[in-house]
C-alpha cells in the first residue's frame, strides 16, 4: 500500500526520469537490441528487419538465424555445420526455405497424431536437422544449375525441389 | 400409364389401326395406334429405371436435344441400352411419354440439374452412369488385351474404336478415365504402328521428364535419401570412397550425400563418383556438366571430389575396366530404377544380368543399392503384364493427383506414360521396363552371390519424415524384411534394398588389373 507521502516522492522521481527516458534510444544500445532479437521467432525477426537500415543489418545477420535454427534443437549445435550451411546460402535461407516449413508441417502432424510431444521432439530433432540440410543442399545444387546462386535473397523460392514444402497441407 | 390406357381404349374403338392417335396428337406427339402397345411397354421400362435411379437423370439431359420428336424412338432405345436394360425389338414409333408419365421430371429440371453439375466440378464423384462406363471401359480394355495376345488384331482394332467411344462418356481428366486413356493409346500404338512403337525420347527429354517426376512425387526422393543413408552407413570409417551410379541423370541424388559426408564425424573422405549415362546426341556433354556442378558443390563444402563420366547406351556395355576402381577404395553401387533393364532378353540371346552381377560382385562393393518398381511387369504372357500394369499405374496416377504444381504434374504423367508405352507396345530388346517384385529380386540377387543388408531405423525414420512433408495423406512407408517400400494407400509402389557381396571362400587379393584379371 502506497502512502500519500510516498506517492509524492514517486511522482517526483517519475518526472525527472522522464527526461532521461526521452533521451534513451535503442539504436544506441546494440547489445540490448541483439539480446531482444535473439529471443524472437522467425516471423518477428523478419518484421524487425523492416524497421530501419540498422535493424535490417542486424536482423539479417546469419548468426542470429543460426541461433534461431538451433534454439529448439538438442543438441544445440552440430560440429562443422556452419561452413557447410554458409557455403550453401546461409542460415537465414535454410530457415526460411527448409526448417520453417518442415517444422510447421511436422508440428501440425504431431498435433493431429497426439502422443507425447516432448519425447517425440527430442527423438526426431537430429533427423529433422539432417533432413532439412539434405533438402537445402539439393536446393543449392539446383540453383547452381540455374546459372549461379543469387546472393541469398530468399524471396525467389524458384528452387523447384522445395516447392512441395510450400503446398498447403491437405489435412 | 393411365393416360395411355385411357387413350388407347378410346382411340382403338372404331379407328383404323394405322391412324394417328387423336389424344396423343393433341399433346403434340404423333403415334400410330397400332404401335401404342410397344411404345407403352418401353416407356414403362424407362419409367421404372428413372424412378429407381434418379441420379442417372442428369446424364440423360446432355443428350436431349428435342428438335424433332420422331428422332426420339431410337433415343429411348439407346437410353435403355445405356442404362443396361434389355432393348426390345426396335419397333417403336415416334413418341416419348416421358414428360407426361412422371410429373416430377421434365426437361427443364434435367437441364438445370445438368448445368449445376457442370459448374460444380467434382472430379472424384462419379454419377452412376459414369461409374458404369468406367467399369465397361476396364472390361473392354482387358478383352482387347486378350485379343491382342491371341493375335486377333481385327477384333482388337474394333474394340479400340469402342473404347474411344466409351472414353467420351467418362471424365478423362482424372481417375480411371485418364489411366484408361493412356492404356488405350498404348494399345493403339501397338496395333497400328508396331515398328516405331513406344515413345523414345532424346536423352535430354528424358532428363527433363525425370526431373519433373522428381518434383511431383516422393518416389525418387525416397529412393535417393534411403540409398544415401545406406551408403553413408557403409562408408563409415573409410577414407577413400567410390560411388558408381548407373543412371546419373542430373545427379540429384549426390548433393545430399556430399553434404552428409562433409558433416560426418572424423571429417569427409575422398569421394570419387563415376556416373554412367546415355551418350548425348546433341553435342552437349551432359555427364561432364553434371560432374562439374557436383564438383563445385563439393568444393564449396570442402569435400575432396573426383568425377568420371561413362557414356554407354546399354548398361551391359559397361565394363569394369571403365570404372577404374582402386584397390583400397570402398565401393558403393547405385541402381535406382535401372537394374531391371538388364533383364532385357531376346530369343537370340539371354539377359545380361548374370554377367553384370558377376563382375560387380568381383569388385566387392561395400554396398549395392537396388531400388525398383514393385510390380511384376516381366511376365511372359502379354495379358498378365497388361493387367498388372493397369493396376500399378492406376495407383501411381492416383497418387500423382495430389500434386498441385504444374508443369511438374503434367510432365510427370508423360514420364509415366513412357513407361506404360514401353510395357504395352514393345517386345524383345525394345522392352526395357522389365519390373519385377521385391521377392523375385531377392531370390535373383541371392543366387548371384549377394546377401541382404538391413536398412536401419535411421532410414525408416528419415523416409517417414520425408513423407509427412508431402501434403498428401496417402503415402505409406513400410518395412519389409530389412527393405523399405513406399506405397500409396497400402499398395507398395517402389521398394529399396541394400546388398553386400558374400565373400568368396578363397578371397582374391583385391587387386584387379585393367583386364579385369585378379592379381
Amino acid at each position: 500500500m502506497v502512502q500519500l507521502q510516498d506517492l509524492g516522492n514517486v511522482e517526483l522521481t517519475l518526472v525527472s526520469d522522464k527526461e532521461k527516458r526521452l533521451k534513451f534510444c535503442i539504436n544506441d544500445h546494440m547489445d540490448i537490441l541483439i539480446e531482444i532479437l535473439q529471443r524472437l521467432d522467425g516471423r518477428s525477426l523478419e518484421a524487425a528487419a523492416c524497421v530501419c537500415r540498422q535493424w535490417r543489418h542486424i536482423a539479417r545477420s546469419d548468426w542470429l538465424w543460426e541461433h534461431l535454427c538451433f534454439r529448439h534443437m538438442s543438441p544445440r549445435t552440430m560440429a562443422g555445420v556452419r561452413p557447410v550451411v554458409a557455403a550453401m546460402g546461409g542460415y537465414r535461407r535454410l530457415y526460411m526455405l527448409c526448417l520453417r516449413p518442415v517444422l510447421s508441417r511436422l508440428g501440425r502432424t504431431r498435433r493431429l497424431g497426439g502422443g507425447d510431444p516432448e519425447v517425440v521432439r527430442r527423438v526426431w530433432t537430429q533427423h529433422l536437422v539432417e533432413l532439412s540440410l539434405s533438402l537445402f543442399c539439393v536446393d543449392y545444387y539446383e540453383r547452381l544449375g540455374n546459372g549461379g546462386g543469387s546472393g541469398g535473397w530468399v524471396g525467389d523460392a524458384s528452387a523447384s525441389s522445395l516447392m512441395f514444402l510450400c503446398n498447403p497441407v491437405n489435412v | 400409364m393411365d393416360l395411355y390406357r385411357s387413350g388407347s381404349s378410346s382411340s382403338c374403338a372404331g379407328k383404323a389401326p394405322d391412324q394417328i392417335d387423336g389424344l396423343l396428337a393433341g399433346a403434340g406427339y404423333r403415334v400410330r395406334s397400332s404401335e401404342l402397345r410397344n411404345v407403352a411397354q418401353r416407356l414403362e421400362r424407362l419409367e421404372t429405371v428413372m424412378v429407381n435411379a434418379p441420379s442417372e437423370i442428369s446424364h440423360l439431359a446432355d443428350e436431349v436435344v428435342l428438335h424433332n420428336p420422331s428422332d426420339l424412338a431410337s433415343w429411348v432405345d439407346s437410353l435403355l441400352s445405356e442404362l443396361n436394360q434389355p432393348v426390345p425389338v426396335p419397333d417403336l414409333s415416334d413418341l416419348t411419354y416421358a414428360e407426361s408419365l412422371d410429373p416430377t421430371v421434365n426437361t427443364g429440371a434435367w437441364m438445370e440439374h445438368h448445368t449445376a453439375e457442370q459448374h460444380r466440378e467434382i472430379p472424384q464423384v462419379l454419377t452412376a452412369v459414369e461409374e458404369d462406363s468406367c467399369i465397361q471401359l476396364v472390361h473392354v480394355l482387358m478383352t482387347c488385351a486378350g485379343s491382342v495376345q491371341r493375335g486377333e488384331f481385327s477384333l482388337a482394332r474394333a474394340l479400340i474404336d469402342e473404347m474411344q467411344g466409351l472414353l467420351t462418356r467418362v471424365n478423362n481428366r482424372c481417375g480411371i478415365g485418364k489411366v484408361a486413356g493412356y492404356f488405350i493409346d498404348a494399345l493403339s500404338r501397338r496395333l497400328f504402328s508396331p515398328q516405331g512403337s513406344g515413345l523414345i525420347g532424346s536423352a535430354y527429354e528424358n532428363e527433363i521428364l525425370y526431373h519433373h517426376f522428381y518434383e511431383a512425387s516422393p518416389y525418387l526422393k525416397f529412393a535417393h535419401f534411403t540409398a544415401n543413408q545406406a551408403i553413408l552407413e557403409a562408408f563409415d570409417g573409410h577414407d577413400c570412397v567410390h560411388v558408381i551410379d548407373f543412371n546419373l541423370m542430373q545427379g540429384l541424388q549426390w548433393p545430399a550425400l556430399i553434404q552428409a559426408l562433409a558433416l560426418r564425424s572424423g571429417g569427409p573422405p575422398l569421394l570419387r563418383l563415376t556416373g554412367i549415362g546415355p551418350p548425348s546426341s546433341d553435342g552437349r556433354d551432359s555427364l561432364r556438366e553434371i560432374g562439374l556442378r557436383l564438383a563445385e558443390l563439393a568444393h564449396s563444402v570442402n569435400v575432396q571430389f573426383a568425377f568420371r563420366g561413362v557414356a554407354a547406351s546399354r548398361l551391359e556395355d559397361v565394363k569394369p575396366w571403365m570404372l577404374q576402381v582402386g584397390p583400397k577404395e570402398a565401393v558403393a553401387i547405385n541402381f535406382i530404377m535401372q537394374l531391371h533393364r538388364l533383364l532385357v532378353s531376346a530369343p537370340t540371346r539371354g539377359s545380361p544380368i548374370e554377367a553384370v552381377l558377376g563382375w560387380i560382385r568381383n569388385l566387392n562393393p561395400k554396398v549395392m543399392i537396388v531400388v525398383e518398381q514393385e510390380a511384376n511387369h516381366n511376365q511372359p504372357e502379354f495379358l498378365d503384364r497388361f493387367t498388372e500394369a493397369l493396376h500399378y499405374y492406376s495407383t501411381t496416377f492416383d497418387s500423382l493427383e495430389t500434386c498441385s504444381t504444374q508443369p511438374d504434374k503434367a510432365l510427370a504423367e508423360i514420364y509415366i506414360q513412357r513407361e506404360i508405352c514401353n510395357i504395352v507396345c514393345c517386345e524383345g530388346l525394345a522392352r526395357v521396363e522389365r519390373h519385377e517384385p521385391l521377392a523375385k529380386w531377392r531370390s535373383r540377387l541371392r543366387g548371384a552371390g549377394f546377401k541382404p543388408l538391413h536398412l536401419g531405423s535411421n532410414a525408416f525414420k528419415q523416409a517417414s519424415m520425408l513423407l509427412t512433408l508431402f501434403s498428401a495423406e496417402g503415402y505409406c512407408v513400410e518395412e519389409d524384411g530389412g527393405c523399405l517400400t513406399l506405397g500409396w494407400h497400402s499398395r507398395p509402389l517402389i521398394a529399396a534394398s541394400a546388398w553386400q557381396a558374400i565373400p568368396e571362400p578363397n578371397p582374391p587379393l583385391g587387386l584387379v588389373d585393367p583386364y579385369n584379371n585378379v592379381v
Side-chain angles (χ1 to χ4, degrees):
Chain A
M1 188 141 48
V2 178
Q3 302 286 339
L4 211 60
Q5 218 175 352
D6 295 311
L7 257 181
N9 287 339
V10 167
E11 259 189 68
L12 279 171
T13 332
L14 280 174
V15 165
S16 57
D17 275 342
K18 195 176 166 195
E19 292 168 3
K20 288 186 199 161
R21 220 175 293 123
L22 279 173
K23 296 196 187 118
F24 177 84
C25 177
I26 187 76
N27 282 357
D28 296 331
H29 302 267
M30 281 296 119
D31 48 346
I32 299 180
L33 179 61
I34 290 173
E35 280 294 324
I36 297 173
L37 291 178
Q38 243 178 278
R39 287 158 172 76
L40 293 179
D41 64 326
R43 193 156 173 265
S44 311
L45 206 50
E46 266 301 295
C50 302
V51 169
C52 65
R53 237 175 281 159
Q54 200 171 10
W55 279 44
R56 182 189 166 96
H57 177 72
I58 295 180
R60 288 265 167 103
S61 72
D62 223 33
W63 172 80
L64 265 177
W65 290 92
E66 177 182 357
H67 198 263
L68 175 63
C69 284
F70 288 120
R71 192 191 305 161
H72 299 295
M73 305 300 168
S74 63
R76 274 298 171 101
T77 52
M78 281 164 58
V81 175
R82 191 180 296 164
V84 172
V85 175
M88 296 197 295
Y91 279 97
R92 181 166 162 262
R93 196 180 171 99
L94 170 65
Y95 182 82
M96 301 292 263
L97 224 45
C98 299
L99 220 47
R100 186 179 59 172
V102 167
L103 275 171
S104 76
R105 201 64 71 80
L106 288 177
R108 204 170 295 148
T109 348
R110 239 181 274 139
R111 274 198 291 280
L112 294 174
D116 187 359
E118 276 314 305
V119 170
V120 174
R121 179 180 286 190
R122 246 196 302 277
V123 165
W124 288 73
T125 20
Q126 186 74 11
H127 297 288
L128 192 135
V129 171
E130 284 169 6
L131 184 62
S132 306
L133 281 172
S134 301
L135 291 170
F136 190 52
C137 201
V138 180
D139 163 65
Y140 171 65
Y141 178 69
E142 284 182 325
R143 274 182 290 135
L144 277 181
N146 292 340
S150 51
W153 163 232
V154 183
D156 61 328
S158 55
S160 34
S161 79
L162 296 180
M163 282 306 287
F164 74 97
L165 287 175
C166 305
N167 295 337
V169 172
N170 184 17
V171 175
Chain B
M1 291 319 293
D2 291 325
L3 184 68
Y4 157 66
R5 289 202 191 95
S6 58
S8 115
S9 55
S10 58
S11 61
C12 277
K15 287 210 179 141
D18 56 351
Q19 271 196 6
I20 303 296
D21 182 86
L23 278 175
L24 293 170
Y29 302 103
R30 304 168 54 79
V31 187
R32 292 189 215 295
S33 316
S34 54
E35 282 146 8
L36 285 173
R37 192 187 185 133
N38 279 336
V39 172
Q41 277 171 352
R42 281 163 212 240
L43 291 171
E44 248 181 332
R45 223 171 273 134
L46 187 61
E47 182 196 25
T48 324
V49 169
M50 280 178 355
V51 165
N52 291 340
S55 61
E56 297 178 6
I57 294 165
S58 61
H59 160 77
L60 298 180
D62 58 354
E63 297 193 22
V64 172
V65 180
L66 304 179
H67 294 306
N68 182 0
S70 59
D71 286 334
L72 294 176
S74 50
W75 177 68
V76 178
D77 269 338
S78 70
L79 270 183
L80 287 171
S81 67
E82 271 172 43
L83 304 174
N84 285 334
Q85 304 297 314
V87 179
V89 175
D91 195 20
L92 193 63
S93 66
D94 345 316
L95 171 67
T96 181
Y97 268 110
E99 285 133 350
S100 49
L101 284 173
D102 189 352
T104 63
V105 177
N106 52 52
T107 326
W110 293 349
M111 297 305 285
E112 258 174 35
H113 189 52
H114 178 69
T115 9
E117 276 221 348
Q118 268 178 337
H119 289 317
R120 225 159 39 214
E121 267 257 80
I122 318 169
Q124 310 301 335
V125 174
L126 297 175
T127 63
V129 174
E130 232 182 12
E131 212 173 297
D132 231 23
S133 302
C134 288
I135 297 171
Q136 259 186 299
L137 203 50
V138 173
H139 181 69
V140 180
L141 264 174
M142 296 304 189
T143 319
C144 187
S147 59
V148 165
Q149 173 169 294
R150 287 187 301 270
E152 298 163 9
F153 295 126
S154 48
L155 171 61
R157 288 192 195 107
L159 288 171
I160 288 198
D161 287 334
E162 188 181 330
M163 286 194 286
Q164 304 279 16
L166 279 173
L167 260 188
T168 59
R169 283 210 278 273
V170 301
N171 182 356
N172 66 343
R173 282 191 320 275
C174 68
I176 189 68
K178 180 191 270 189
V179 181
Y182 286 124
F183 274 88
I184 295 169
D185 175 70
L187 276 173
S188 15
R189 275 173 208 270
R190 187 185 176 110
L191 287 172
F192 298 121
S193 55
Q195 298 318 317
S197 58
L199 297 170
I200 320 268
S202 72
Y204 181 61
E205 273 174 24
N206 285 342
E207 269 181 31
I208 300 218
L209 292 178
Y210 185 89
H211 195 167
H212 285 277
F213 183 61
Y214 180 87
E215 312 299 358
S217 59
Y219 303 115
L220 289 177
K221 288 191 179 78
F222 162 77
H224 291 174
F225 283 151
T226 311
N228 285 346
Q229 187 67 33
I231 294 175
L232 203 59
E233 285 168 11
F235 280 168
D236 196 22
H238 291 95
D239 291 325
C240 278
V241 300
H242 187 174
V243 177
I244 301 172
D245 185 4
F246 272 81
N247 188 21
L248 186 65
M249 280 290 175
Q250 290 178 333
L252 286 167
Q253 181 175 353
W254 307 118
L257 182 70
I258 294 173
Q259 170 254 305
L261 286 173
L263 290 176
R264 78 166 188 181
S265 59
L270 163 63
L271 172 66
R272 279 184 62 204
L273 174 66
T274 301
I276 300 171
S280 339
S281 50
D282 49 355
R284 294 169 55 240
D285 190 352
S286 61
L287 285 173
R288 187 167 167 272
E289 277 174 24
I290 303 295
L292 283 173
R293 255 213 276 172
L294 288 169
E296 192 181 333
L297 186 140
H299 178 73
S300 61
V301 297
N302 284 327
V303 173
Q304 282 178 291
F305 181 77
F307 176 82
R308 185 182 173 79
V310 175
S313 44
R314 296 178 315 172
L315 287 183
E316 57 264 32
D317 293 338
V318 177
K319 299 287 176 254
W321 57 264
M322 298 176 189
L323 306 174
Q324 297 191 340
V325 175
K328 294 207 185 87
E329 287 176 339
V331 176
I333 312 271
N334 193 59
F335 279 108
I336 307 273
M337 325 274 232
Q338 283 299 293
L339 199 53
H340 57 255
R341 287 166 186 258
L342 288 172
L343 295 175
V344 169
S345 65
T348 48
R349 50 147 248 220
S351 59
I353 185 142
E354 302 289 326
V356 174
L357 284 177
W359 66 251
I360 286 180
R361 188 173 164 218
N362 287 338
L363 289 178
N364 198 18
K366 289 279 169 294
V367 66
M368 178 170 76
I369 309 287
V370 174
V371 180
E372 282 289 318
Q373 289 94 332
E374 180 66 7
N376 199 355
H377 294 152
N378 198 18
Q379 296 165 80
E381 296 292 325
F382 174 75
L383 182 57
D384 298 330
R385 290 205 300 273
F386 187 87
T387 317
E388 173 87 11
L390 190 57
H391 286 123
Y392 180 81
Y393 287 106
S394 303
T395 319
T396 311
F397 271 102
D398 270 351
S399 72
L400 263 190
E401 281 303 312
T402 59
C403 166
S404 51
T405 53
Q406 296 283 9
D408 290 338
K409 184 175 166 191
L411 292 173
E413 288 180 1
I414 297 182
Y415 176 84
I416 299 177
Q417 186 197 9
R418 292 207 173 170
E419 277 186 20
I420 295 176
C421 269
N422 192 276
I423 296 172
V424 172
C425 307
C426 303
E427 289 297 337
L429 292 173
R431 180 159 64 91
V432 294
E433 300 290 341
R434 298 194 179 227
H435 312 147
E436 285 191 348
L438 184 59
K440 271 197 167 180
W441 282 114
R442 279 200 175 116
S443 58
R444 196 184 284 278
L445 288 170
R446 280 213 182 90
F450 290 89
K451 69 172 194 267
L453 281 176
H454 272 235
L455 297 167
S457 60
N458 282 335
F460 183 85
K461 279 184 199 142
Q462 190 180 66
S464 312
M465 199 185 287
L466 182 68
L467 282 191
T468 55
L469 299 180
F470 270 83
S471 52
E473 302 267 327
Y475 293 109
C476 53
V477 178
E478 273 157 21
E479 198 258 352
D480 177 4
C483 307
L484 289 186
T485 61
L486 171 60
W488 174 257
H489 282 134
S490 76
R491 186 349 177 161
L493 292 176
I494 176 171
S497 54
W499 301 83
Q500 199 177 38
I502 298 175
E504 304 263 355
N506 298 318
L509 289 174
L511 300 174
V512 179
D513 71 41
Y515 301 99
N516 202 25
N517 299 322
V518 175
V519 172

